[in-house]
């Protein structure tokens, strides 16, 4: 299998990045909702679940950066035959997914009020304690962390986390299944077992 994309199919690197990121997205949801639904506040389990969410989110940021670089420097396979509307929907959907891949890790990191104990191996300082925060927020905007954090948290959790992200992923998965089972084209095959 080609490592690079071709006109007809995704290469192994794009596939690996796509599916790894998909699994980590699932992990970020499982960890944060496990925390909300199955742990009591101030317990060790509650803290562990939060730290897993932060660690998974930061790992995602690294994979997403690689993925965007790979996408920019590679050919994107042509879409399978379809109407102009279907192609437009596919492009808009893919760009929207890239947008959430950028927005979620950034808003997560800059709005968090605790350091990340990265998979309990080493600490990653929170944004609030960095030089960049001091220059941009304290000196540049002249506001406190509480004032800065509020709208950022709203975007990360209430707007995107609770709604936009999973609805978009649901629509994306539904589109993939529609292609596979109704249109019976190669859309899902070329992102999975298909060769270039
Ligand atoms: C693609 C990556 C990420 C996704 C999909 C994601 C998703 C979510 C979701 C779904 C929630 C819960 C929303 C709710 O309250 O219903 C949440 C909360 C949160 N996220 Fe993320 N997140 C990501 C990355 C990050 C990163 C990198 C950090 C910080 C380093 C972070 C920090 C937080 C914090 C502190 C909360 C609140 C925790 C809580 O309410 O228990 N997230 N995130
Ligand atoms: C079970 C879950 C998933 C399935 C079945 C799935 C399926 C697919 C398929 C079949 C394609 C190829 C589309 C085409 O060739 O036109 C694709 C592309 C894509 N997927 Fe997914 N996907 C899933 C999860 C995700 C997640 C969680 C994300 C990101 C948050 C994501 C982001 C993307 C993006 C951005 C593309 C376009 C790739 C490009 O051309 O650069 N997918 N997906």
């Amino acid at each position: 299998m080609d490592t690079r994309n071709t006109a007809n199919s995704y290469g192994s690197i794009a596939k690996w990045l796509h599916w790894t990121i998909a699994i980590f997205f699932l992990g970020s949801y499982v960890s944060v909702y496990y925390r909300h639904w199955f742990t009591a506040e101030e317990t060790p389990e509650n803290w562990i679940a939060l730290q897993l969410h932060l660690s998974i989110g930061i790992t995602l940021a690294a994979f997403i950066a690689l993925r965007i670089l790979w996408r920019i420097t590679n050919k994107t396979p042509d879409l399978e035959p379809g109407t102009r509307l279907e192609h437009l929907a596919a492009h808009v959907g893919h760009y929207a997914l890239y947008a959430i891949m950028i927005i979620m890790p950034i808003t997560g990191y800059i709005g968090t009020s605790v350091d990340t104990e990265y998979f309990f191996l080493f600490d990653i300082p929170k944004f609030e304690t960095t030089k960049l925060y001091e220059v941009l927020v304290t000196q540049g905007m002249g506001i406190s962390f509480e004032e800065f954090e509020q709208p950022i948290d709203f975007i990360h959790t209430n707007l995107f986390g609770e709604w936009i992200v999973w609805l978009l992923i649901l629509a994306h998965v539904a589109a993939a299944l529609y292609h596979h089972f109704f249109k019976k084209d190669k859309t899902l095959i070329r992102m999975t077992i298909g060769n270039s």
Side-chain angles (χ1 to χ4, degrees):
M1 189 196 293
D2 259 325
T3 48
R4 298 180 73 88
N5 300 343
T6 66
N8 305 319
S9 186
Y10 289 94
S12 55
I13 292 180
K15 284 179 187 170
W16 189 86
L17 285 167
H18 175 272
W19 292 110
T20 307
I21 288 170
I23 291 167
F24 273 73
F25 256 77
L26 181 68
S28 74
Y29 266 83
V30 170
S31 52
V32 84
Y33 283 114
Y34 179 82
R35 175 175 202 242
H36 282 200
W37 295 336
F38 301 108
T39 69
E41 276 179 36
E42 314 273 321
T43 57
E45 303 81 59
N46 185 271
W47 180 250
I48 290 170
L50 173 65
Q51 286 300 333
L52 283 178
H53 180 74
L54 309 189
S55 303
I56 291 170
I58 287 178
T59 313
L60 265 169
F63 285 137
I64 289 165
L66 285 177
R67 179 166 185 188
I68 290 172
L69 261 180
W70 193 247
R71 157 99 187 195
I72 294 169
T73 54
N74 248 261
K75 185 177 172 43
T76 305
D78 301 327
L79 294 173
E80 288 286 294
T83 63
R84 281 182 64 168
L85 191 67
E86 282 173 336
H87 283 182
L88 181 70
H91 285 305
V92 171
H94 291 167
Y95 280 115
L97 287 163
Y98 277 112
I100 60 160
M101 284 192 268
I102 295 169
I103 292 167
M104 290 310 282
I106 293 177
T107 52
Y109 176 68
I110 67 175
T112 299
S113 54
V114 295
D115 290 343
T116 299
E117 295 172 12
Y118 188 78
F119 292 111
F120 306 102
L121 297 171
F122 55 87
D123 287 358
I124 299 175
K126 58 186 171 186
F127 182 54
E128 192 190 350
T129 55
T130 62
K131 185 82 197 144
L132 188 63
Y133 173 84
E134 190 173 330
V135 174
L136 288 182
V137 184
T138 314
Q139 292 163 10
M141 299 162 127
I143 55 174
S144 68
F145 182 68
E146 286 67 36
E147 288 168 310
F148 171 74
E149 173 200 43
Q150 252 184 13
I152 302 290
D153 281 353
F154 176 79
I155 295 171
H156 187 79
T157 58
N158 306 82
L159 189 61
F160 279 83
E162 272 176 34
W163 292 108
I164 296 178
V165 172
W166 73 264
L167 283 175
L168 207 56
I169 293 175
L170 192 71
H172 177 63
V173 174
L177 297 178
Y178 165 75
H179 277 278
H180 193 69
F181 292 108
F182 290 96
K183 290 194 78 179
K184 299 192 193 300
D185 63 20
K186 290 217 167 74
T187 301
L188 185 56
I189 302 285
R190 64 193 203 155
M191 190 45 111
T192 50
I193 54 170
N195 283 321
S196 309

